[in-house]
Amino acid sequence: MSETIFSRIIRGELPCHRLYEDEHVLAFLDIFPLSPGHTLVIPKQAVATLDQLSDDASAAIGRVLPRLCRAVMAATGVSDYNILQNNGAAAHQAVFHVHFHIIPKPSAEAGLGIGWPAQKLGDSDGQDMAEKIRGQLK
Ligand code: AMP
């Protein structure tokens, strides 16, 4: 259980620009948007990172996320957007309650900027890593 500013928003103790709510999910406008329409979609379950989220809460987010994306697209008139979901301080998470950002990308300058320091995956590195991850899924 992690108590954050988002728990207080869920309980109605702090204001937000509420967009959608059901038993498991709340969506509202980000207070410091990267672009107009920047939306946060959060589970009501108070856990810090996605790996901790219950199947029910995950399913509820998955059910509504595309619909929220369509609403943001239609309302902003912007067809390009990013979904961002940060886990852990080193991964730029500031509020330790799971949240998905929907960030419209109206132009090259506005919206989310991404550093992408990609390096080609070597064959043996790929085999080793895939084997390790598959082993953890069993
Ligand atoms: P992250 O870095 O992924 O943890 O992002 C946290 C986000 O929460 C940031 O984009 C903040 O602007 C946003 N945020 C923090 N407090 C509030 C609030 N009271 N209402 C709406 N958005 C908030």
Side-chain angles (χ1 to χ4, degrees):
M1 172 75 184
S2 63
E3 173 77 14
T4 68
I5 196 163
F6 289 174
S7 297
R8 301 190 62 203
I9 289 176
I10 290 167
R11 292 198 297 268
E13 295 167 7
L14 289 175
C16 71
H17 293 284
R18 197 167 296 243
L19 304 175
Y20 172 87
E21 184 165 11
D22 66 29
E23 185 190 349
H24 292 291
V25 180
L26 178 67
F28 51 96
L29 292 178
D30 195 295
I31 199 80
F32 292 109
L34 290 179
S35 58
H38 183 164
T39 292
L40 297 177
V41 185
I42 70 174
K44 290 186 176 175
Q45 184 186 7
V47 291
T49 56
L50 188 61
D51 48 280
Q52 300 169 331
L53 198 60
S54 71
D55 286 354
D56 281 350
S58 307
I61 295 259
R63 258 194 308 274
V64 76
L65 191 55
R67 190 171 143 208
L68 285 162
C69 292
R70 289 192 291 272
V72 171
M73 290 169 75
T76 60
V78 175
S79 56
D80 294 2
Y81 62 94
N82 294 97
I83 299 295
L84 177 68
Q85 204 282 309
N86 298 327
N87 298 280
H92 304 286
Q93 185 175 14
V95 178
F96 291 90
H97 180 127
V98 170
H99 52 281
F100 290 75
H101 299 256
I102 303 172
I103 310 171
K105 186 74 179 166
S107 66
E109 299 74 33
L112 182 67
I114 304 178
W116 196 273
Q119 293 178 325
K120 179 146 179 40
L121 179 65
D123 270 351
S124 71
D125 284 350
Q127 274 175 20
D128 289 351
M129 185 54 71
E131 204 169 302
K132 272 190 202 162
I133 296 173
R134 280 194 301 265
Q136 293 299 323
L137 287 169
K138 281 176 189 155

